[in-house]
């Protein structure tokens, strides 16, 4: 079963890198990306993806706001250049936290964590 993922990041560089790396994970099917947090918010409400990777620091609606609104309904991976956001992101319900700059291994490990959270079994 392939997972549908939404990635939200106001930085085009980080957004495109996360998309490229996530698409290489064998369990990821469709990836939809957003640089604008409000557009992502609407998409998540309507399309109900299986999980989200979201930057913490964004203009408008930030990643912590996303966690407050959605983490009880779908798994989140939070990302930031600042490690100090990890504790509050986890308290708000993110499954995993990735510090930028991230690697393919970081993204894949986090997707594996989400899969385990959703289905109670390890990947592979």
């Amino acid at each position: 079963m392939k997972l549908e993922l939404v990635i939200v990041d106001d930085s085009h560089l980080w957004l495109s890198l996360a998309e490229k790396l996530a698409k290489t994970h064998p369990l990821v099917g469709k990836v939809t990306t957003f640089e604008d947090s409000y557009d992502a918010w609407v998409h998540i409400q309507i399309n109900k993806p299986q999980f989200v990777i979201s930057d913490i620091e964004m203009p408008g609606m930030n990643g912590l706001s996303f966690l407050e609104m959605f983490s009880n309904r779908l798994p989140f991976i939070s990302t930031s250049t600042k490690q100090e956001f990890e504790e509050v992101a986890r308290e708000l319900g993110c499954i995993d936290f990735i510090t930028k700059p991230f690697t393919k291994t970081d993204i894949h490990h986090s997707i594996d964590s989400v899969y385990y959270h959703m289905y109670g079994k390890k990947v592979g």
Side-chain angles (χ1 to χ4, degrees):
M1 178 174 153
K2 298 281 188 169
L3 302 175
E4 181 181 346
L5 164 65
V6 166
I7 304 174
V8 188
D9 199 314
D10 62 313
S11 164
H12 182 74
L13 173 70
W14 290 116
L15 184 66
S16 60
L17 179 61
E19 178 184 22
K20 179 181 176 183
L21 297 176
K23 283 182 173 180
T24 66
H25 193 288
L27 292 176
V28 173
K30 182 178 179 184
V31 177
T32 307
T33 62
F34 295 93
E35 287 184 42
D36 182 277
S37 58
Y38 292 109
D39 290 342
W41 179 81
V42 170
H43 178 84
I44 291 167
Q45 295 277 0
I46 294 169
N47 295 290
K48 299 177 180 29
Q50 289 169 296
F51 73 108
V52 175
I53 296 176
S54 176
D55 184 29
I56 296 287
E57 296 177 279
M58 296 183 289
M61 194 180 313
N62 67 34
L64 298 177
S65 297
F66 273 113
L67 284 168
E68 289 176 327
M69 287 185 284
F70 296 115
S71 69
N72 64 336
R73 292 189 268 166
L74 69 154
F76 265 77
I77 298 168
S78 295
T79 66
S80 180
T81 57
K82 297 178 181 170
Q83 184 69 40
E84 59 264 23
F85 284 120
E86 181 174 6
E87 184 177 339
V88 68
R90 288 191 184 274
E91 287 174 4
L92 291 172
C94 80
I95 302 302
D96 205 3
F97 183 91
I98 305 172
T99 304
K100 296 175 185 175
F102 47 73
T103 65
K104 178 180 176 180
T105 301
D106 296 330
I107 293 286
H108 281 222
H109 179 268
S110 289
I111 293 169
D112 291 348
S113 295
V114 165
Y115 183 82
Y116 182 77
H117 174 81
M118 291 170 69
Y119 300 106
K121 55 186 175 182
K122 294 187 185 248
V123 177

